[in-house]
Amino acid sequence: MPNIGFIGLGNMGAPMAANLVKSGDSVVGFDLVAAARQESAQSGIEIAPNPKACAEKADVIVTMLPAGEHVRSVWSEILPSAKRGALFIDCSTIDVTSARAAHALAAQRGVAALDAPVSGGVAGAKAATLTFMVGGSAEAFARGKPILERMGKRVVHCGDAGNGQAAKICNNMILGASMIVVSEAFVLGEKLGLSHQALFDVASASSGQCWSLTSYCPVPGPVPASPANSGYKPGFAAALMLKDLKLAREAADAVHVKTAIGAHAAEIYERFAQAGHSGTDFSGIINFVREASKQR
Ligand code: NAD
């Protein structure tokens, strides 16, 4: 089994790296934050003194970092220390341009690379049930797939460099916009005297059916596991939804595609975050929709 380097041991990276250790991999990791390093050491991860030391020891490097600038900077820093024939896999959610730039940096050094953002959140990272959306060559994908399968349950090859990120932001644009419109439908139903359960029973079996309704219903009751039943505790925080909607808007601008609804969803989540709800689950947007209706 390859030695794996893991850089970025935060909310997602720590449990992902821990799952590699549970599968029998030897993992050497690094994070800027001492508490994150200590927590991961307790999961059996060898802690390196710096990112370069990870790269020197590892055959495969996984990064799980906040944004494109961090990935570009870490990859630039460690690529010169990478082993011959190394594979770099970035699992962070970042802009498509940075992802493609990171692939190009790796290619300059003769290092294989994949962009492999995830869906499934912290719960999926802990349970090793993440979905990976992967961009890169078929050869790199074939090498990376077994490693990703030890951290998730679905690994989908989406095409060449950057296409994993493209799939991720397109999916989350659907998710953000659909959550808003499902919320609007429930608030409209309330005003029209329709019970939540009646609307759910009809729409979940009709043409309005979608994941935001049937798996993550924004009102308490119809879907017991949805965050609406636990005070809108994330789940998937509104701040992360806003990040992904902004990435989608940026990508759409770059390729001159008009995403009117996706862009509007980003504006609505921006106002939600500015009103102090960044840390609320993104389905809490229903309370914002209801409040806005009261002000009329
Ligand atoms: P996080 O902030 O908890 O973790 C990021 C870690 O990277 C932090 O521990 C930070 O100290 C570390 N870091 C930053 N710069 C570094 C550097 N130069 N060297 C080493 N370590 C560095 O974030 P997270 O929730 O784990 O998310 C990571 C990525 O996964 C993000 O891109 C996010 O959008 C994406 N994501 C998160 C979720 C989620 O539910 N949290 C779901 C899907 C995707």
Side-chain angles (χ1 to χ4, degrees):
M1 293 233 259
N3 279 332
I4 300 182
F6 208 113
I7 300 175
L9 301 165
N11 291 324
M12 295 291 290
M16 288 166 72
N19 282 330
L20 291 173
V21 172
K22 280 184 205 152
S23 308
D25 286 312
S26 62
V27 182
V28 51
F30 180 76
D31 193 288
L32 287 179
V33 173
R37 296 196 295 270
Q38 277 153 19
E39 192 194 318
S40 281
Q42 281 164 12
S43 313
I45 292 152
E46 178 193 339
I47 299 300
N50 53 53
K52 275 187 187 170
C54 274
E56 280 160 7
K57 285 194 164 183
D59 307 296
V60 176
I61 293 275
V62 181
T63 47
M64 192 53 166
L65 298 164
E69 73 220 59
H70 306 100
V71 175
R72 287 165 88 148
S73 137
V74 168
W75 280 35
S76 304
E77 182 189 343
I78 66 175
L79 271 162
S81 311
K83 279 190 183 180
R84 237 179 127 80
L87 169 66
F88 275 41
I89 308 177
D90 179 48
C91 293
S92 330
T93 302
I94 66 172
D95 59 289
V96 175
T97 306
S98 289
R100 291 188 172 144
H103 274 267
L105 285 171
Q108 279 163 19
R109 292 265 165 194
V111 166
L114 294 170
D115 53 292
V118 304
S119 79
V122 175
K126 287 184 178 159
T129 55
L130 294 170
T131 294
F132 289 89
M133 295 150 261
V134 190
S137 71
E139 297 76 33
F141 179 73
R143 285 177 63 195
K145 190 168 181 251
I147 294 156
L148 298 176
E149 280 170 341
R150 300 204 273 280
M151 299 183 282
K153 65 168 190 221
R154 254 190 111 216
V155 182
V156 183
H157 191 202
C158 301
D160 284 338
N163 281 17
Q165 298 295 349
K168 165 89 187 177
I169 56 170
C170 289
N171 178 72
N172 280 17
M173 188 173 78
I174 298 172
L175 177 62
S178 66
M179 182 54 79
I180 293 169
V181 80
V182 166
S183 297
E184 288 177 350
F186 274 107
V187 172
L188 176 60
E190 287 166 8
K191 294 261 180 179
L192 298 175
L194 190 60
S195 76
H196 290 160
Q197 193 63 49
L199 176 56
F200 179 85
D201 289 346
V202 170
S204 63
S206 305
S207 43
Q209 190 274 335
C210 65
W211 191 89
S212 292
L213 176 75
T214 56
S215 296
Y216 217 82
C217 190
V219 292
V223 178
S226 77
N229 299 283
S230 46
Y232 299 95
K233 199 169 141 262
F236 188 56
L240 289 169
M241 174 50 79
L242 176 59
K243 172 188 172 182
D244 293 357
L245 288 168
K246 284 181 170 173
L247 290 175
R249 194 172 57 189
E250 231 176 274
D253 286 347
V255 294
H256 312 294
V257 171
K258 292 237 170 299
T259 54
I261 304 295
H264 196 194
E267 281 164 28
I268 292 172
Y269 273 104
E270 188 135 44
R271 291 206 295 275
F272 188 52
Q274 280 164 358
H277 301 296
S278 303
T280 303
D281 185 78
F282 81 109
S283 62
I285 199 77
I286 190 166
N287 297 319
F288 203 56
V289 171
R290 201 179 279 116
E291 270 312 301
S293 308
K294 277 188 196 153
Q295 286 157 18
R296 302 202 132 213

